[in-house]
Amino acid sequence: MSFDVEDYFQVSAFEQQFRTDDWGQLECRVEANVHNILQLLADQNHTRSTFFILGWIAERFPALIKEIADSGHEIASHGYNHQRLINMTREEFRLDVSDSKSLLEELTGKQVLGYRAPSFSLSPQTLWATDALKEAGYHYSSSVNPVPHDLYGMPDAPRIPFRWDNGLLELPVTTVELFNRRFPCAGGGFFRLYPYCLSHWALKKANKQLDGPVIFYLHPWELDPAQPRVKDAPLKSRFRHYLNLKHTKPRLEQLLKDFNWGTIAELEAVTA
């Protein structure tokens, strides 16, 4: 179970509406939304999860990051300013992943093992990023979504954990295979789009197909139906972002009951 900790105005779909320089002037809702998630996890047998956290969030809400870690969850990096890799130079990326890792480790006193690229933007064009992650001391990346998509995706990547040429472990987000095609089934907008019964069925099938654990993800803003509406964003972006927000919390509650979850760091391959 994993959560990409970012606020509603930091998503890539709204990057044309909200400049990074303006983020500090906007209402931050991430703290209350993360507290909501922490309570859900505590209520379900203290389920432990991995939180991929933006450096921008950690810098402004240090007590929140410490609370997540003190609750037994894994702290991992989501970069600093939620910039997609395709929009960064190699040096900018190197500083981004190094600075965010150092900040999170300073706040928690624990080693940060994992990284997830904003919007799963690790692609065939940005594979140079894996060397920067290895050099920065990360043990794993969970940045590949092995499906075709208009905004992200590496449809030819393995569906199971694998290592890049430099030895960095990659843990792809889970997909299900039907009729020789891959379909996303492990979180985000698809969890809000599909009826819960379909998500449940697909995760169970993927679990059997992969003969191993599934990797699921959500964002705190997906549990916040009262968040401000961005009216000047493209229709497709608004549809994807606001679809079925009111259903996310009860579906997540049911998901926590129906499956056994843990942190990514608990996988033996991460520390091997």
Side-chain angles (χ1 to χ4, degrees):
M1 176 63 66
S2 63
F3 297 93
D4 295 354
V5 181
E6 60 200 54
D7 221 324
Y8 71 95
F9 52 79
Q10 295 171 318
V11 301
S12 296
F14 295 155
E15 62 188 6
Q16 298 301 316
Q17 283 67 43
F18 299 113
R19 297 185 308 165
T20 305
D21 292 344
D22 296 331
W23 286 356
Q25 304 172 29
L26 300 169
E27 175 196 6
C28 287
R29 302 174 66 87
V30 68
E31 189 173 26
N33 291 331
V34 169
H35 279 144
N36 195 2
I37 291 171
L38 290 175
Q39 189 61 57
L40 289 176
L41 296 173
D43 289 345
Q44 188 55 40
N45 298 321
H46 296 281
T47 299
R48 299 203 303 171
S49 302
T50 297
F51 287 75
F52 291 95
I53 298 171
L54 283 184
W56 191 95
I57 297 291
E59 194 173 60
R60 286 155 181 79
F61 300 97
L64 179 64
I65 309 312
K66 294 177 184 177
E67 181 180 356
I68 296 171
D70 290 345
S71 298
H73 303 292
E74 179 191 3
I75 300 294
S77 172
H78 199 31
Y80 213 91
N81 285 320
H82 207 268
Q83 297 182 55
R84 287 183 289 171
L85 274 57
I86 197 69
N87 295 328
M88 304 173 71
T89 66
R90 298 190 183 198
E91 179 62 15
E92 287 172 339
F93 180 77
R94 185 186 67 81
L95 292 173
D96 182 280
V97 296
S98 297
D99 289 349
S100 59
K101 187 176 190 291
S102 296
L103 174 60
L104 294 171
E105 290 178 339
E106 180 181 343
L107 289 174
T108 64
K110 299 178 181 179
Q111 185 181 14
V112 169
L113 301 176
Y115 169 82
R116 176 170 289 159
S119 301
F120 299 107
S121 53
L122 185 60
S123 69
Q125 291 73 40
T126 57
L127 292 184
W128 46 261
T130 62
D131 287 333
L133 292 173
K134 182 75 172 180
E135 292 168 6
Y138 289 93
H139 286 215
Y140 75 86
S141 162
S142 183
S143 303
V144 167
N145 203 329
V147 294
H149 192 278
D150 60 336
L151 297 178
Y152 56 76
M154 291 181 65
D156 296 327
R159 296 172 61 214
I160 59 175
F162 65 95
R163 292 189 183 274
W164 298 104
D165 290 343
N166 63 9
L168 181 72
L169 178 65
E170 183 66 44
L171 298 162
V173 171
T174 297
T175 58
V176 65
E177 192 167 78
L178 300 170
F179 311 112
N180 295 318
R181 290 188 59 190
R182 298 177 181 181
F183 295 90
C185 66
F190 297 100
F191 187 61
R192 292 182 282 114
L193 173 64
Y194 302 154
Y196 178 77
C197 60
L198 179 57
S199 291
H200 181 275
W201 174 86
L203 287 170
K204 285 191 70 174
K205 189 170 185 65
N207 202 183
K208 291 181 180 180
Q209 289 178 345
L210 300 173
D211 192 27
V214 302
I215 294 180
F216 184 90
Y217 75 98
L218 278 176
H219 306 86
W221 56 262
E222 292 185 275
L223 281 75
D224 184 12
Q227 64 187 267
R229 264 28 182 190
V230 183
K231 297 181 179 179
D232 59 341
L235 179 60
K236 181 191 289 187
S237 297
R238 284 182 282 133
F239 174 78
R240 286 174 170 173
H241 190 89
Y242 299 121
L243 176 69
N244 289 334
L245 290 178
K246 65 181 180 180
H247 297 307
T248 310
K249 182 177 179 179
R251 289 179 181 179
L252 178 58
E253 287 178 311
Q254 190 62 48
L255 190 72
L256 292 172
K257 294 176 182 177
D258 290 345
F259 296 88
N260 295 318
W261 299 99
T263 69
I264 293 177
E266 290 173 325
L267 298 176
E268 183 178 350
V270 169
T271 52

